[in-house]
Amino acid sequence: MPDAPIIPDALTLPRRLPEGGKVNIVGLTRDQLRAALVEAGTPEMQAKMRVGQIWQWVYHRGLRDFAAMTNLAKEYRTLLAARFEIAVPAVVSRQVSADGTRKYLVRIAGGHEVETVYIPEDGRGTLCISSQVGCTLTCSFCHTGTQRLVRNLTAAEIVGQVMLARDDLDDWPRAGQGGTGDRLVSNIVLMGMGEPLYNFEAVRDAMRIVMDGEGIALGRRRITLSTSGVVPEIARCATEIGCQLAVSFHATTDAVRDRLVPINRKWNIAALLAALRDYPRLSNSERITFEYVMLKGVNDSDADARRLVRLIAGIPAKINLIPFNEWPGAPYERSDWERIEAFADIVYKAGYASPIRTPRGEDIMAACGQLKSASEKARRAVRTAATPTA
Ligand code: SAH
Ligand code: SF4
């Protein structure tokens, strides 16, 4: 037990400062926050209530300053400020596309950078967040897959991307406002850099924070996790997060999928489909999204479209066709528009919704698959420029 009471409401002296400085409140689950508050001297009896109060300030109102948490005793605010911080990753740069898409280059600990993209649509919008720096997988059509440096993001860095976007968009509710109806960040997709199922625990904790009704309060149906097909982890998406699932399918034969999505060599199409057929939340109202990138002459024939609908027969699904987004040195071309429409038509006539994803933010390299830490490239360019040539 802590030693001595220091302030009237029975708070006790913190026993020791956390190693390495202050504890970041962002990214802690409710249980972790409770334990940290007790560790810092909050009486057990009060801890649950304090968690609720702090949680609302941080995640409902977007506050970053303990001093402004007016429903907490002044001394308690001082203690919190001494022991804790409310820190989100810094935005290094922000680019805005001609179509309104915003791309944030975000700095995280260790000097690493990831990208977060906001895609506005009719007064609402989707935030595309990253789960890793780079990606260990090497899908041959994806720019992120060419980045060697990889590290998992922490839950704080994942939920922090949502918070920094809401800061930038001025999307936190004002005092007294409770509604979640007209928010600008209305949906989240885990479709940025990285394979979310290779960083499952951090992604899960971050999404639980985002879904928590007393905070950011985005419903589970407004969150979509996209995986390249990490078969053993797929069911956990339903049982431990409960969000929507999208799968990067992209090919209808193992020979082609092995080339496009190399994880297919570990878990092939049959294994992936078996996991999807067993998916715990599968129903007509909770369909799985099959993502299918349209690569000219590679996977876009009528035969591919017909094979696709045969393969997924019986799985409540929607097929999202993604025109390939080019990046410097990419070894593929985007399928022609007529080809994409013909493909979509076959899929649609087989009974599946087959929307074609409009490329957004291409002019700032913010479209699907174009993300790669730009600063790494910029640094390299500076180095190259600084190298004497004579
Ligand atoms: N790693 C996860 C999520 C991030 S990628 C996954 O692979 O599912 C989000 C989507 O963009 C995936 O379907 C991915 O295959 C697709 N994608 C990657 N590179 C692309 C490109 N250059 N053009 C279009 N889509 C691409
Ligand atoms: Fe990684 Fe997804 Fe890109 Fe494949 S498509 S390299 S899994 S980010």
Side-chain angles (χ1 to χ4, degrees), residues 94-97 99-106 115-130 161-162 164-171 182-189 192 218 360-361 364 366-367 371:
R94 186 191 77 168
Q95 285 173 277
V96 183
S97 156
D99 69 17
T101 300
R102 296 179 183 210
K103 182 169 84 169
Y104 306 98
L105 180 64
V106 175
E115 292 177 327
T116 306
V117 178
Y118 176 68
I119 306 138
E121 187 118 50
D122 302 332
R124 341 161 18 107
T126 299
L127 192 69
C128 178
I129 60 181
S130 294
Q161 293 173 65
V162 180
L164 64 85
R166 295 192 84 189
D167 289 349
D168 182 57
L169 296 160
D170 193 18
D171 193 33
D182 51 1
R183 48 172 63 193
L184 294 172
V185 177
S186 60
N187 294 74
I188 290 179
V189 291
L218 272 183
R360 297 288 303 268
I364 55 167
L371 303 184

Side-chain angles (χ1 to χ4, degrees), residues 4-13 37 40-43 46 75-76 79:
I6 51 165
I7 41 176
D9 65 345
L11 270 176
T12 45
L13 262 178
L37 292 179
T42 307
Q46 297 177 5
E75 294 82 353
Y76 189 58
L79 174 128

Side-chain angles (χ1 to χ4, degrees), residues 173-202:
R174 312 246 176 266
Q177 256 185 333
T180 54
D182 51 1
R183 48 172 63 193
L184 294 172
V185 177
S186 60
N187 294 74
I188 290 179
V189 291
L190 282 146
M191 293 187 187
M193 301 166 70
E195 168 49 60
L197 294 187
Y198 273 161
N199 186 15
F200 186 81
E201 279 79 15

Side-chain angles (χ1 to χ4, degrees), residues 49-244:
M49 189 167 82
R50 300 289 172 248
V51 169
Q53 289 168 316
I54 295 167
W55 195 275
Q56 285 201 2
W57 285 118
V58 173
Y59 294 118
H60 177 64
R61 293 288 304 284
L63 224 68
R64 300 292 149 75
D65 182 4
F66 293 106
M69 298 186 176
T70 46
N71 58 355
L72 300 175
K74 265 219 167 80
E75 294 82 353
Y76 189 58
R77 289 183 240 164
T78 308
L79 174 128
L80 289 175
R83 297 292 302 262
F84 296 96
E85 59 182 0
I86 307 164
V88 303
V91 175
V92 181
S93 69
R94 186 191 77 168
Q95 285 173 277
V96 183
S97 156
D99 69 17
T101 300
R102 296 179 183 210
K103 182 169 84 169
Y104 306 98
L105 180 64
V106 175
R107 169 136 335 127
I108 55 169
H112 299 300
E113 276 148 7
V114 292
E115 292 177 327
T116 306
V117 178
Y118 176 68
I119 306 138
E121 187 118 50
D122 302 332
R124 341 161 18 107
T126 299
L127 192 69
C128 178
I129 60 181
S130 294
S131 56
Q132 298 182 307
V133 178
C135 186
T136 51
L137 302 171
T138 50
C139 303
S140 51
F141 53 89
C142 173
H143 205 198
T144 309
T146 66
Q147 182 173 329
R148 285 219 204 97
L149 190 67
V150 178
R151 96 146 157 82
N152 276 340
L153 298 195
T154 62
E157 291 160 348
I158 297 169
V159 74
Q161 293 173 65
V162 180
M163 296 167 78
L164 64 85
R166 295 192 84 189
D167 289 349
D168 182 57
L169 296 160
D170 193 18
D171 193 33
W172 295 103
R174 312 246 176 266
Q177 256 185 333
T180 54
D182 51 1
R183 48 172 63 193
L184 294 172
V185 177
S186 60
N187 294 74
I188 290 179
V189 291
L190 282 146
M191 293 187 187
M193 301 166 70
E195 168 49 60
L197 294 187
Y198 273 161
N199 186 15
F200 186 81
E201 279 79 15
V203 166
R204 175 198 60 204
D205 290 351
M207 291 306 105
R208 284 185 180 168
I209 291 170
V210 165
M211 292 186 290
D212 189 297
E214 283 187 28
I216 299 171
L218 272 183
R220 62 179 190 83
R221 284 169 183 256
R222 292 176 173 274
I223 300 173
T224 303
L225 181 153
S226 173
T227 180
S228 58
V230 184
V231 163
E233 304 289 320
I234 283 180
R236 294 179 83 189
C237 181
T239 54
E240 295 183 41
I241 307 178
C243 62
Q244 307 297 299

